[in-house]
Amino acid sequence: MKVLVAIKRVVDYNVKVRPRADATDVDLNNVKMSINPFCEIAVEEAVRLKEQGLVNEIVVVSIGPQQAQEQLRTALALGADRALLVVTEDVLEPLAIAKCLKVLCDREQPDLVLMGKQSIDGDNNQTGQMLAALTGYPQGTFASKLELTGDNKATVTREIDGGLQTLALTLPAIVTADLRLNEPRYASLPNIMKAKKKPLDTSTPDELGVSISPRVKLLKVELPAQRAAGIKVADVEELMDKLKNEAKVI
Amino acid sequence: MSILIIAEHDNSDLRPSTLNSVSAAQAIGGDIVVLVAGSDCAGVADTLSKVPGIQKVLLADNPVYSHHLAENMAPLVAEIAEGFSHVLAPASTTGKNLMPRVAALLDMQAISDISEVISPDTFKRPVYAGNVIATVQSSDEVKVLTVRSTAFEAATAEGGNATIEQISSVHNQDACTFVGQELAVSERPELTSARIVVAGGRGMGSSEGFSMLEKLVDKLGAAMGASRAAVDAGFVPNDMQVGQTGKIVAPDLYIAVGISGAIQHLAGMKDSKVIVAINKDPEAPIFQVADYGLVGDLFELIPAIEAQL
């Protein structure tokens, strides 16, 4: 069985981004970049399936700048077998990314596509669902558990509002990872060295025949309205008094 | 302009978030049509027909839609969407699962989680875990949007008289089948629509710590929430998680107990009207967003508060 894992290079989750002075976008100069945390969980899940002997090849894909090679190498060090980079300096929208992935799915014919449920920069939560629409595959989004049950099926437990939902998907299928699917490992030094020798092929959206012209224009970015600083109350009596008589919420 | 809203419901009851989407549609302006797709869900269509501002309710009542599987729902919505300028759904897990699939079938770039309508093609939405608000303009023919419910007031539910029209179109596939679900059963109000939310963090120390909190929750008639740290530690189930990757809440009163206030958590609750923070660390970031902060041992303070109610 072959798994395709799509990953995104994003600003590291520890970085607090700020708008640029001209408010046209956020300032990403000299900030640390990493694999999107949800994508890292997707890579880990693929590696675990391979370790269980259920998967024999993991192809990791990214669509982004040349530097996304760093994140692909990280995924290779975690256990992916080979990497594909679709190089573009433009910021692609989820639909354009899904179209690139669709072409790669046609070429690679994976049995399972794993990806993060959303990236922590755009917070769109769209690409997996869009790829599912374009390929016609079933989708198991926000997965907290994935089991390959043989018989060409996967059982996916999804985190939904109010609880958990379980779906049976016929492969090939798209599964997007939520936080509790697994806890990703760290790459070991020998594996990081080995990853440097694993194959990494590049192409471009043009070569894939995908139009990437944007549909949505970013007009400006701003900081959210800040809450005015409150007060510290001395004791429970003062708190209750404030809630009853000042805020009038209880 | 004409706006199609995908109603969220469990086949018997309408989810209140649908009414927040109606408000967003009213801010955009135009005729409003609501689709109720489900199984034995005619009662939901009746409820919606009474909402002022809705011109028409479309009812697709068929067992294939009972669990709102995106594989069956998306082609239905894409088919109905023809001729509409906007398609909206609440940014719940159901809406987030469905709408991008609809958008891709229509070859449109969806816009997720809008928090403000600037004009019919321009919207604000949070990005980078709510640290930044982006203003975006769509050039697509059909704007496919999910709506952040806490950012829009719920529309009035009574007084309207919309017509109900049956939709007979059936989309059924067998690549995705429903196996089951476990929904938390609670006498308490639902987290995202509760007037008061009491949330516990890592500082609660254990599941037993949360049991103590429950007494306060019930005395206040509140919903109970938790930080990701408390969920990851196994103190409470994940459906209680408030934050960027959990539930987004904006109650009248939010009481954060033993929560340090990681940015991920703040993104999920900072639009609450009044925030109370109770924490033993006076430097905890939660105090920067709290209207009222109380520093001390929560295991002494919580019973003391409860005793005063």
Side-chain angles (χ1 to χ4, degrees), chain A residues 11 13 15-19 25-26 28 38 93-96 99 117-118 120-127 129-134 136-142 153 155 158-171 178-180 214-225 227-237 239-240 242-244 246-250, chain B residues 8 15 67 69-71 92-94 96-98 100-101 103-105 107-112 122 124-140 174-184 195-196 220 228 231-232 238-239 241 244-245 247 252-253 255 263 270-276 278 282 287-295 301 304-305 308-309:
Chain A
V11 61
Y13 75 100
V15 173
K16 188 164 183 204
V17 297
R18 298 191 64 83
D25 204 341
V26 294
L28 293 182
F38 292 103
E93 292 168 355
L95 183 61
K99 286 178 177 178
K117 75 164 179 177
Q118 72 187 63
I120 60 164
D121 48 2
D123 283 331
N124 286 301
N125 193 334
Q126 294 179 358
T127 307
Q129 296 88 313
M130 288 182 153
L131 178 62
L134 299 176
Y137 296 170
Q139 67 191 49
T141 52
F142 330 142
K153 286 202 185 267
T155 304
R158 308 177 54 230
E159 295 196 0
I160 59 168
D161 294 336
L164 299 170
Q165 180 187 62
T166 305
L167 301 175
L169 308 180
T170 304
L171 304 181
D178 213 319
L179 282 176
R180 279 168 282 271
R215 318 285 195 85
V216 175
K217 194 169 153 191
L218 180 61
L219 299 182
K220 69 165 179 176
V221 295
E222 62 198 311
L223 292 174
R227 290 185 75 93
I231 55 158
K232 291 239 172 74
V233 292
D235 50 31
V236 168
E237 284 71 26
L239 175 65
M240 300 309 282
K242 294 281 186 195
L243 291 178
K244 278 177 192 151
E246 191 175 84
K248 297 188 169 64
V249 284
I250 58 170
Chain B
E8 185 153 332
R15 301 268 301 174
H67 300 292
L69 299 180
E71 291 79 357
S92 59
T93 49
T94 309
K96 288 174 180 173
N97 186 49
L98 171 66
R101 190 160 183 137
L105 291 177
D107 195 27
M108 302 291 157
Q109 176 53 58
I111 299 178
S112 301
T122 305
K124 286 194 180 187
R125 61 179 298 267
V127 293
Y128 291 94
N131 282 312
V132 177
I133 306 296
T135 305
V136 295
Q137 183 176 35
S138 169
S139 58
D140 272 338
D174 54 12
C176 173
T177 52
F178 176 83
V179 177
Q181 59 191 16
E182 297 164 42
L183 298 181
R195 200 182 70 80
I196 302 177
L220 285 166
R228 183 182 160 191
V231 173
D232 284 352
N238 63 275
D239 55 285
Q241 186 181 327
Q244 180 65 17
T245 56
K247 303 253 172 31
D252 289 346
L253 174 60
I255 304 179
I263 190 74
K270 65 182 165 52
D271 293 327
S272 305
K273 289 204 180 73
V274 175
I275 297 175
V276 172
I278 299 169
F287 287 118
Q288 289 164 21
V289 301
D291 299 281
Y292 306 111
L294 184 53
V295 179
L301 295 173
I305 292 172
Q308 295 223 359
L309 285 166

